[in-house]
């Protein structure tokens, strides 16, 4: 098998050494004593070839990509990284819980909808919070993404019910005894600039990721995975079985199911978005579900957009030790052995082709390896080129706060690991450009 050889670059100039690893407030990251932040210390690596099958056949057309290579790459990603999403779950039930027509000072209609499974009543379902701009003249495009702190944390308004599910304990008092408190209201609102999305004519759909599975190693027992597995009697997870990221991504696809029934939304114009571990989730949802026409990865890092073969910032060894439940069991066998893995994240990005992908980094988010996030999009470009689509248009990371790209786009923003209004401004512009194109 021919391989593409990439030599480590010495140019780490963009990345200031100021912050070692800045993570979301809910989840202080593991801080291993020896984290490599030196580009020059990355051993040379070879990426698995994107457009050549293991038998050596070169993929030269869009049809061959769609019919042969894409299914093979998807299956490799299932087997080695995220596990296989079940193909059957029976009837999906939608139940409208509340509609508020004058949310956000009259700018939006807010709907709360429970999405559950008729065959698995033990699973309490997920609560979708949907904001639709009131000024819309017809069905609108929609961003779909999971949130970390509950719908009450995303909305700035006090009448959104507090989440009652298990929640990760952070340093602040938004969560006490692993349950949301009143103090958590609006704490994630900055990451979800609903006013901006409404003004731009986009609906926004979100759910608390813990509705599908609590985010800890035993969380599956109380979540969808446990409930669905052998009628709840499964006791361990095998190689190739799905992990929590797969389950959270599944939740995003069920929201897409609901949106197909929602007259106010144009379900042909969906963008999927996620930050950090939920950016890994949005990439995996976008890889599997072609209804997401735009895929956004915000600071998704290791296991997301960052190339796993670059030993810098968070590594496969660190992530699989801290969060084994996120992935399929096989993935941990690549700890300190990344070159044995038949995929890397350029293939995860390519799975979205020819749909549009936006990858974003932050300068101080060195834990997530901004350069590795950039490179996955760059090395995914040949798959997009098969469809006559263009990627970044540049071969080096652009200057800070300078977005680049066409169907694959990228920016590295000033600041820390977070989702900001600046990030959303770029995503909204990108989504408008791509969602308004003919199929
Ligand atoms: C960290 C983890 C990262 C990232 C982050 C987050 O602890 O190491 O991979 O996903 O959590 O989700 O905020």
């Amino acid at each position: 098998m021919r391989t593409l050889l990439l030599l480590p670059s010495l140019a780490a100039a963009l990345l200031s050494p100021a912050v070692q690893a800045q993570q979301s407030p809910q989840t202080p990251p593991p801080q291993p004593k020896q984290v490599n932040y030196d580009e020059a210390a990355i051993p040379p690596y070879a990426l698995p070839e994107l457009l050549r099958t293991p038998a050596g056949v070169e993929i030269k057309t869009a049809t061959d990509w769609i019919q042969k290579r894409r299914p093979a790459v998807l299956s490799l990603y299932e087997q080695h990284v995220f596990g296989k999403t079940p193909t059957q779950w029976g009837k999906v039930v939608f139940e409208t819980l509340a509609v508020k027509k004058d949310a956000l000072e009259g700018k939006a209609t807010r709907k709360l909808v429970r999405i559950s499974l008729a065959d698995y009543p033990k699973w309490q379902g997920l609560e979708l919070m949907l904001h639709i701009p009131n000024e819309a003249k017809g069905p609108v495009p929609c961003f779909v993404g999971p949130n970390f702190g509950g719908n009450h944390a995303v909305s700035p308004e006090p009448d959104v019910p507090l989440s009652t599910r298990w929640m990760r304990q952070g340093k602040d008092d938004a969560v006490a005894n692993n349950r949301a408190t009143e103090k958590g209201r609006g704490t994630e609102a900055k990451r979800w600039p609903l006013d901006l999305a409404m003004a731009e004519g986009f609906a926004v759909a979100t759910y608390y990721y813990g509705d599908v599975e609590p985010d800890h190693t035993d969380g599956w027992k109380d979540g969808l995975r446990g409930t669905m597995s052998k009628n709840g009697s499964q006791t361990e997870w095998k190689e190739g079985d799905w992990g929590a990221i797969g389950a959270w991504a599944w939740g995003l696809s069920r929201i897409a199911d609901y949106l197909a029934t929602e007259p106010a939304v144009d379900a042909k114009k969906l963008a999927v978005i996620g930050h950090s571990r939920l950016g890994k989730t949005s990439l995996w949802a976008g890889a599997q579900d072609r209804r997401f026409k735009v895929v956004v990865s915000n600071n998704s890092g290791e296991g997301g957009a960052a190339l796993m073969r670059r030993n810098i910032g968070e590594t496969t060894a660190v992530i699989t030790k801290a969060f084994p439940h996120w992935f399929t069991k096989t993935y941990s066998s690549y700890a300190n052995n990344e070159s044995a893995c038949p995929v890397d994240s350029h293939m995860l990005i390519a799975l979205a082709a020819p749909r549009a992908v936006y990858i974003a980094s932050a300068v101080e988010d060195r834990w997530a390896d901004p350069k590795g996030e950039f490179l996955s999009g760059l090395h995914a470009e040949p798959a997009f080129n098969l469809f006559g689509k263009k990627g970044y248009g540049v071969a080096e990371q652009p200057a800070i706060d300078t977005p680049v790209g066409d169907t694959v786009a990228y920016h590295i923003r000033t600041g820390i690991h977070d989702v900001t209004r600046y990030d959303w401004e770029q995503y909204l512009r990108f989504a408008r450009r791509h969602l308004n194109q003919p199929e």
Side-chain angles (χ1 to χ4, degrees):
M1 181 169 98
R2 260 186 24 197
T3 47
L4 169 68
L5 190 65
L6 295 172
L7 293 171
S9 155
L10 296 173
L14 280 173
L15 307 175
S16 101
V19 177
Q20 281 247 319
Q22 184 68 46
Q23 302 298 316
S24 67
Q26 292 89 352
T27 52
Q31 296 277 353
K33 296 224 166 36
Q34 285 170 332
V35 182
N36 174 41
Y37 283 121
D38 180 4
E39 281 282 330
I42 301 176
Y45 60 87
L47 290 181
E49 280 202 89
L50 185 61
L51 296 187
R52 190 179 296 270
T53 68
V57 180
E58 202 177 327
I59 301 297
K60 292 189 183 141
T61 65
T63 309
D64 276 358
W65 170 262
I66 291 289
Q67 290 180 358
K68 297 185 183 145
R69 189 63 178 142
R70 185 180 181 278
V73 171
L74 187 60
S75 158
L76 288 173
Y77 243 92
E78 288 170 347
Q79 288 171 50
H80 299 275
V81 184
F82 294 121
K84 187 159 174 49
T85 308
T87 50
Q88 287 182 357
W89 43 83
K91 188 173 157 34
V92 184
V93 182
F94 309 125
E95 183 194 344
T96 303
L97 305 174
V99 180
K100 181 172 172 159
K101 293 207 167 140
D102 58 348
L104 304 178
E105 291 162 345
K107 291 193 202 99
T109 294
R110 184 216 300 145
K111 281 192 175 182
L112 299 176
V113 179
R114 186 191 311 284
I115 302 180
S116 58
L117 294 179
D119 293 349
Y120 299 96
K122 240 188 94 193
W123 177 55
Q124 292 175 59
L126 69 87
E127 265 179 40
L128 159 68
M129 179 169 73
L130 175 64
H131 283 86
I132 303 159
N134 280 340
E135 277 194 1
K137 302 274 177 299
V140 290
C142 185
F143 272 84
V144 183
N147 67 70
F148 279 97
N151 293 337
H152 66 276
V154 171
S155 168
E157 300 182 313
D159 59 334
V160 173
L162 271 194
S163 170
T164 56
R165 309 292 180 87
W166 187 95
M167 229 168 246
R168 288 179 78 88
Q169 197 63 56
K171 287 198 186 105
D172 55 21
D173 44 13
V175 179
N177 302 319
N178 294 114
R179 289 292 181 278
T181 71
E182 286 291 332
K183 295 269 166 55
R185 285 198 179 282
T187 46
E188 224 175 316
K190 266 192 160 165
R191 286 182 170 179
W192 294 89
L194 297 171
D195 61 324
L196 182 66
M198 297 305 114
E200 298 285 330
F202 279 80
V204 176
T206 185
Y207 84 98
Y208 169 53
Y209 78 132
D211 283 358
V212 169
E213 176 167 325
D215 186 4
H216 60 88
T217 43
D218 280 336
W220 62 271
K221 292 179 181 165
D222 299 319
L224 176 81
R225 278 196 299 149
T227 309
M228 278 181 67
S229 64
K230 296 180 186 156
N231 289 325
S233 67
Q234 185 152 347
T235 52
E236 63 172 288
W237 294 91
K238 303 185 305 299
E239 270 88 1
D241 286 347
W242 62 337
I245 287 177
W248 300 327
W250 178 94
L252 296 171
S253 288
R254 300 296 69 74
I255 291 177
D257 294 349
Y258 168 76
L259 293 173
T261 72
E262 169 57 66
V265 167
D266 183 347
K268 289 207 158 59
K269 296 187 176 176
L270 302 184
V272 66
I273 184 169
H275 168 61
S276 204
R277 71 197 62 188
L278 300 180
K280 310 181 210 302
T281 303
S282 64
L283 282 173
W284 186 227
Q288 297 175 93
D289 192 335
R290 293 194 234 183
R291 292 174 297 177
F292 296 120
K293 298 284 161 41
V294 167
V295 181
V296 180
S297 151
N298 191 91
N299 306 182
S300 62
E302 188 70 28
L307 290 175
M308 71 170 88
R309 280 166 172 74
R310 281 168 53 86
N311 182 350
I312 194 163
E314 188 172 27
T315 60
T316 315
V318 169
I319 202 168
T320 53
K321 190 150 189 269
F323 307 106
H325 60 290
W326 289 357
F327 304 96
T328 197
K329 204 175 164 189
T330 324
Y331 188 50
S332 53
S333 67
Y334 302 116
N336 303 313
N337 187 26
E338 289 84 353
S339 63
C341 185
V343 294
D344 210 323
S345 54
H346 60 312
M347 294 161 125
L348 179 60
I349 306 302
L351 283 169
R355 293 165 292 137
V357 184
Y358 200 118
I359 302 169
S361 307
V363 176
E364 293 175 37
D365 187 20
R366 298 198 308 153
W367 182 246
D369 182 17
K371 186 166 180 181
E373 294 178 321
F374 171 80
L375 287 175
S376 65
L378 186 70
H379 294 299
E381 282 184 15
F384 293 84
N385 296 159
L386 292 175
F387 296 85
K389 304 272 181 185
K390 295 195 196 99
Y392 293 154
V394 297
E396 298 290 332
Q397 247 179 321
I400 295 163
D401 300 330
T402 311
V404 292
D406 191 330
T407 300
V408 189
Y410 177 85
H411 73 242
I412 176 162
R413 147 183 74 66
T414 309
I416 61 167
H417 185 72
D418 202 358
V419 198
T420 67
R421 205 170 171 91
Y422 173 86
D423 294 321
W424 271 94
E425 282 164 359
Q426 314 318 313
Y427 304 151
L428 286 160
R429 187 174 313 141
F430 183 73
R432 191 173 326 103
R433 192 165 84 227
H434 290 283
L435 294 174
N436 287 335
Q437 279 179 11
E439 289 270 308

